[in-house]
Amino acid sequence: MKRGGRGRDPDLDPDLDLDPDPDLDLDLDPDLDLDPDVVIAIAVVVPVAVVVVVPVVVVVPVVVVPVVVVVLPVAVSSSFVSRRAGPCPSRRLNRSARVDGRRARAGIGHRGLLSGVKEAAMPNTVLIELNRKFTPTSTPTLTSTPTPISTTPPIPTPTSTPPLFPFQTLDAYRFARELAVRVHSARIADPELRDQATRAAKSAFLNLCEGLPDDRAAMRRKYFLSSDGSLHEVVGAADLACAIGAVGTDDAAEIQALAVRLRAMLRGLLRSARSV
């Protein structure tokens, strides 16, 4: 055998065992070994508990908290509104009935002015006077019917002598107007001659109305010449109507007489217009 123990096998030589002390074994308590049934139970129960408990813990706050946040303010606000609105009609009726009962027992009406003790202490005449004084009496309301407002402008009433323009007072103006009236009232039977005569008579009158107030000599001559030409047209139409029996001889004679007088006046106006 060699020195120093070289060449010996540790498994065959007990002196070379690495665990010389058997008390140093790590598995010191054999009672701590788990039973296989317990291990199986733990493996089954723990997942079931996780599946059941975790959703409850997670879902309950998610569902309950929003419901409380939404429902609680609504309930508080509705109670506040109902409190502000006052008691319901039935409560108000019951309360008024109780008040009326207490007033009736005390001897005080709705319009009583004094308490029951004071009313009992005062004479009846004083109470009657006080009630008459403070009881409101019905005052008649005065209703006034509104006056309708007229939207139409007032119509001026004509005076007996309306004011006239200066040229309306001239004889030439009055004869020309009378000539137009006579031609219109003659009612010439021939339509063409009636239309020609009435239009010529109106033209003679209107041209004279334009020329008389004009201060310009040239314009006066122009209007007077137009009126003189229309006057001669009236005379020709009335004469032809009388010749064919479309108008009476008396009407034709009156038209002729007025035309002669008016022609003399127009000629005098033309001479005065040339001399200016």
Side-chain angles (χ1 to χ4, degrees), residues 49-59:
V50 170
V51 172
V52 173
V53 174
V54 170
V56 173
V57 174
V58 173
V59 171

Side-chain angles (χ1 to χ4, degrees), residues 33-272:
D33 293 336
L34 295 177
D35 191 5
D37 296 334
V38 175
V39 173
I40 294 173
I42 292 173
V44 173
V45 171
V46 170
V48 173
V50 170
V51 172
V52 173
V53 174
V54 170
V56 173
V57 174
V58 173
V59 171
V60 168
V62 173
V63 174
V64 173
V65 171
V67 171
V68 172
V69 171
V70 173
V71 173
L72 185 60
V74 173
V76 172
S77 63
S78 62
S79 64
F80 179 74
V81 171
S82 63
R83 194 172 300 151
R84 289 289 299 274
C88 61
S90 61
R91 291 183 181 178
R92 288 198 295 269
L93 291 175
N94 294 333
R95 185 180 299 173
S96 63
R98 291 197 298 272
V99 172
D100 293 342
R102 288 197 297 270
R103 287 182 177 178
R105 288 194 298 272
I108 304 173
H110 288 286
R111 296 182 180 177
L113 301 175
L114 303 174
S115 63
V117 178
K118 291 183 178 179
E119 285 183 356
M122 287 186 177
N124 292 332
T125 56
V126 176
L127 296 176
I128 292 172
E129 292 297 329
L130 289 173
N131 287 327
R132 285 180 180 176
K133 184 177 180 180
F134 293 100
T135 302
T137 58
S138 61
T139 57
T141 58
L142 300 178
T143 58
S144 60
T145 57
T147 305
I149 300 174
S150 177
T151 56
T152 57
I155 301 174
T157 56
T159 58
S160 58
T161 56
L164 301 177
F165 286 93
F167 73 93
Q168 288 181 294
T169 59
L170 299 176
D171 291 339
Y173 175 86
R174 291 188 284 106
F175 272 93
R177 185 184 62 180
E178 184 64 24
L179 176 64
V181 171
R182 294 301 299 169
V183 171
H184 181 76
S185 62
R187 304 290 181 183
I188 299 173
D190 185 83
E192 187 176 359
L193 290 176
R194 183 176 62 250
D195 178 68
Q196 197 76 17
T198 52
R199 286 193 295 107
K202 294 173 184 177
S203 177
F205 173 70
L206 296 177
N207 277 289
L208 183 64
C209 292
E210 287 189 78
L212 287 175
D214 202 333
D215 296 332
R216 297 167 296 178
M219 297 304 297
R220 287 171 64 88
R221 286 195 300 271
K222 173 182 176 296
Y223 290 127
F224 293 157
L225 287 174
S226 297
S227 179
D228 185 67
S230 297
L231 176 63
H232 286 78
E233 185 176 2
V234 170
V235 171
D239 187 36
L240 180 58
C242 182
I244 62 176
V247 69
T249 55
D250 295 337
D251 293 331
E254 291 180 5
I255 293 171
Q256 183 73 23
L258 289 172
V260 170
R261 295 287 303 273
L262 182 58
R263 176 180 176 275
M265 296 176 187
L266 284 174
R267 291 304 172 91
L269 293 171
L270 284 171
R271 286 192 297 270
S272 64

